[in-house]
């Protein structure tokens, strides 16, 4: 009789696991996700700025799963895990399992600040990206009609909290929009009307986890693009169109974009001893959650213990998630024990700054590549990371068009009504 596996979350880890066990005669697998599509988070900032359409980086789960005879999909949100009954409670029912795999990823961390949570613009989901795109375009259009110069500056000033890859990439693309697209599309606005782009971070460098060479190059190129960078500085609050910083200064803006931190999603039913730093589920070296014999955690929500070199857990990036899923699939597919422990293989780090500008740190020796070559590598890696050929081809054509014309084509304000 087949064992029932429930995989909660269809991101990098969840989907990789399903690809590897979806046709196994040992298991009947159910993928549970709050969305009916998989999407590629590293490119979500391009959707939020109108450089890509959502369908270019997303794909329906049911179409992905067509070729896996032992996999079914359930659209629903996880509410609670009931380990002693081997079941999960969803927003639309319950499911029973023999094996549960948590691959639920992360959500924005506002560090308890309710104003920032309520008024800032996050960028974690496709819905967030479309909201941000609509907001940017609406406020640009509103600025063309506003007579008050100070109000126009508030509408056109963007503050980005968090100078990791997402913050760097977003500030770079907004700076390029300001110098090219805005001048062409909004002739009503003069150069003096356009506000500044601020990048704020509490660390002492941009791209804090990358090499010193990458940090220095990125800082220099963002400065050249006109981005004002403030380091060793936190966003303390956001109210009445004012961003309050920890150094006592303020920035007048209606646009605070939050890329400052993430935390794992915590669910009821787990023992408090199962959670570690950042609400991640503590696991052994085979991704088995501490205190349970049939619940596993993968990717961003997992704090894997026992991998020498990563005592604080692995980076919350695509590669650790994918590699953990591969290792778990390998272990599930064989009958031998003990299982093969997980060991992360660092393949390097990439970040794009703008057109022809990127950085690439290779692992171990931390060999550093910058500029056009790194930009080409970034494009290749991200195109190949998309789920199928159609998405890769569309993305490639979009980028060729932008490279040639310094323009993009998806600047539509679309606000659908939500009907159940």
């Amino acid at each position: 009789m087949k064992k029932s596996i429930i995989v909660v979350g269809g991101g990098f880890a969840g989907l990789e696991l399903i690809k590897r066990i979806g046709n196994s005669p040992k298991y009947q697998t159910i993928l549970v996700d709050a969305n009916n599509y998989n999407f590629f988070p590293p490119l979500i900032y391009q959707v939020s700025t109108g450089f890509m359409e959502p369908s270019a980086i997303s794909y329906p789960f049911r179409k992905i799963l067509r070729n896996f005879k032992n996999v079914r999909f359930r659209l629903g949100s996880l509410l609670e895990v009931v380990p002693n009954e081997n079941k999960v409670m969803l927003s639309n029912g319950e499911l029973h399992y023999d094996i549960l795999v948590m691959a639920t990823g992360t959500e924005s961390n506002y560090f308890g600040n309710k104003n920032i949570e309520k008024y800032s613009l996050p960028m974690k989901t496709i819905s967030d990206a479309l909201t941000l795109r609509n907001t940017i375009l609406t406020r640009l259009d509103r600025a063309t009609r506003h007579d008050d110069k100070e109000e126009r500056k508030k509408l056109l000033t963007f503050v980005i909290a968090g100078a990791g890859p997402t913050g760097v990439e977003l500030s770079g693309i907004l700076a390029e929009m300001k110098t090219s697209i805005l001048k062409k599309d909004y002739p009503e606005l003069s150069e003096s009307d356009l506000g500044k782009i601020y990048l704020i971070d509490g660390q002492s460098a941009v791209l804090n986890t990358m090499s010193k060479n990458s940090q220095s190059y990125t800082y220099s190129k963002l400065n050249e693009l006109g981005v004002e960078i403030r380091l060793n500085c936190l966003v303390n609050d956001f109210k009445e169109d004012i961003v309050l910083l920890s150094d006592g200064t303020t920035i007048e803006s209606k646009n605070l974009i939050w890329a400052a931190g993430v935390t794992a999603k915590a669910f009821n039913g787990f023992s408090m001893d199962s959670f570690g730093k950042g609400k991640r589920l503590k696991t052994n070296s085979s991704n088995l959650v501490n205190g349970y014999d049939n619940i596993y955690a993968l990717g961003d929500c997992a704090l894997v213990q026992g991998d020498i070199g990563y005592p604080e857990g692995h980076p919350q990036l695509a590669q650790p998630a994918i590699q953990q899923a591969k290792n778990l699939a390998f272990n599930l597919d064989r009958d031998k024990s003990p299982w093969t422990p997980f060991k992360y293989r660092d393949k390097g780090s990439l970040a794009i700054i703008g057109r022809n500008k990127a950085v690439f740190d290779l692992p171990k020796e931390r060999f550093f590549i910058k500029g056009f070559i790194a930009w080409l590598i970034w494009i290749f890696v991200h195109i190949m990371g998309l789920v199928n050929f159609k998405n890769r081809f569309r993305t490639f054509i979009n980028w060729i068009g932008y490279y040639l014309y310094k323009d993009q084509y998806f600047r539509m304000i679309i606000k659908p009504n939500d009907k159940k």
Side-chain angles (χ1 to χ4, degrees):
M1 184 176 178
K2 295 178 182 177
K3 287 187 175 181
S4 172
I5 296 182
I6 293 178
V7 179
V8 184
F12 288 117
L15 201 56
E16 185 67 30
L17 179 65
I18 283 172
K19 287 178 180 177
R20 292 177 177 271
I21 67 170
N23 287 319
S24 172
K26 296 181 180 180
Y27 304 111
Q28 179 66 49
T29 305
I30 300 176
L31 171 62
V32 176
D33 201 286
N35 299 306
N36 74 334
Y37 57 85
N38 165 271
F39 70 97
F40 190 65
L43 292 179
I44 200 167
Y45 79 98
Q46 296 218 355
V47 174
S48 68
T49 49
F51 281 78
M52 296 180 70
E53 56 183 323
S55 59
I57 66 166
S58 56
Y59 208 70
F61 281 125
R62 291 191 179 276
K63 195 166 184 179
I64 295 172
L65 301 178
R66 283 179 183 177
N67 296 324
F68 301 103
K69 59 184 179 182
N70 294 324
V71 182
R72 298 293 180 266
F73 175 69
R74 178 72 172 263
L75 178 65
S77 299
L78 176 63
L79 301 180
E80 184 179 358
V81 177
V82 188
N84 61 334
E85 297 182 36
N86 286 346
K87 71 177 182 179
V88 292
M89 307 300 296
L90 307 178
S91 56
N92 49 17
E94 62 182 56
L95 293 172
H96 290 262
Y97 61 83
D98 295 306
I99 296 172
L100 174 63
V101 179
M102 300 291 291
T104 48
T106 60
E107 59 188 1
S108 295
N109 185 0
Y110 300 100
F111 305 100
N113 191 301
K114 296 301 181 182
N115 283 336
I116 292 175
E117 183 176 359
K118 183 176 181 180
Y119 298 114
S120 70
L121 297 161
M123 202 171 52
K124 283 294 294 177
T125 67
I126 292 288
S127 295
D128 290 340
L130 291 176
T131 297
L132 180 53
R133 186 182 76 179
N134 289 337
T135 301
I136 290 173
L137 295 174
T138 299
R139 289 176 180 173
L140 285 170
D141 198 73
R142 189 183 302 165
T144 65
R145 306 190 306 271
H146 223 295
D147 295 328
D148 188 320
K149 190 171 183 178
E150 292 306 311
E151 278 299 307
R152 285 201 300 271
K153 280 206 168 182
K154 287 183 186 179
L155 289 163
L156 300 174
T157 294
F158 293 90
V159 181
I160 302 161
T166 299
V168 165
E169 291 162 358
L170 185 59
S171 59
I173 206 167
L174 286 173
E176 289 186 338
M177 285 178 64
K178 180 179 174 181
T179 58
S180 57
I181 294 166
L182 299 193
K183 290 183 178 179
K184 292 184 289 186
D185 280 13
Y186 300 89
E188 303 95 330
L189 301 174
S190 65
E191 185 73 32
S192 62
D193 288 326
L194 300 179
K196 292 183 178 180
I197 298 167
Y198 294 88
L199 183 60
I200 314 295
D201 198 281
Q203 302 289 339
S204 60
V206 298
L207 300 177
N208 188 58
T209 60
M210 296 186 71
S211 70
K212 297 293 185 183
N213 285 331
S214 289
Q215 293 169 1
S216 176
Y217 177 82
T218 300
Y219 187 94
S220 172
K221 292 303 175 182
L222 286 175
N223 266 326
E224 290 176 13
L225 288 170
V227 178
E228 184 167 324
I229 304 170
R230 297 194 183 179
L231 301 172
N232 298 307
C233 184
L234 299 171
V235 175
N236 277 353
D237 209 346
F238 181 44
K239 54 186 178 182
E240 298 176 352
D241 299 339
I242 297 176
V243 180
L244 291 85
L245 305 179
S246 61
D247 63 2
T249 62
T250 61
I251 301 171
E252 293 190 4
S253 173
K254 292 182 179 291
N255 310 294
L256 173 61
I257 301 173
W258 195 253
V262 295
T263 182
K265 300 176 182 178
F267 297 95
N268 293 331
F270 287 104
S271 164
M272 292 305 297
D273 294 336
S274 299
F275 293 102
K277 184 179 179 181
K279 300 181 185 177
R280 298 165 82 175
L281 288 165
K282 293 186 289 186
T283 80
N284 67 9
S285 59
S286 299
N287 288 88
L288 181 68
V289 176
N290 292 359
Y292 303 94
D293 59 8
N294 63 345
I295 301 179
Y296 299 85
L298 297 173
D300 292 351
C301 72
L303 189 64
V304 182
Q305 299 167 327
D307 188 357
I308 298 174
Y310 298 92
E312 300 297 320
H314 298 97
Q316 290 171 296
L317 302 171
Q319 274 303 314
I322 291 169
Q323 291 179 30
Q324 286 173 25
K326 289 179 180 179
N327 191 68
L328 180 58
F330 173 77
N331 284 326
L332 287 171
D333 197 45
R334 68 183 195 142
D335 298 321
K336 295 180 181 179
S337 60
W339 279 12
T340 301
F342 174 70
K343 185 174 178 59
Y344 176 49
R345 297 177 299 281
D346 185 3
K347 295 184 177 182
S349 301
L350 276 163
I352 190 171
I353 305 158
R355 189 172 184 264
N356 294 338
K357 295 180 282 289
V359 288
F360 180 29
D361 285 341
L362 276 71
K364 294 182 180 178
E365 296 86 2
R366 304 303 275 176
F367 183 67
F368 163 69
I369 301 175
K370 65 181 180 181
F372 181 70
I373 299 300
W375 181 76
L376 288 178
I377 294 171
W378 185 93
I379 284 179
F380 174 79
V381 168
H382 284 73
I383 284 179
M384 295 309 297
L386 293 170
V387 74
N388 68 354
F389 175 78
K390 182 179 178 182
N391 287 34
R392 294 169 189 163
F393 181 75
R394 290 169 69 183
T395 299
F396 180 70
I397 294 300
N398 287 345
W399 286 345
I400 288 293
Y402 174 65
Y403 187 80
L404 292 175
Y405 302 108
K406 295 185 180 180
D407 206 346
Q408 30 88 323
Y409 311 102
F410 305 109
R411 296 193 297 277
M412 288 82 73
I413 301 171
I414 300 173
K415 299 179 180 179
N417 293 322
D418 185 18
K419 294 185 178 181
K420 296 183 179 179

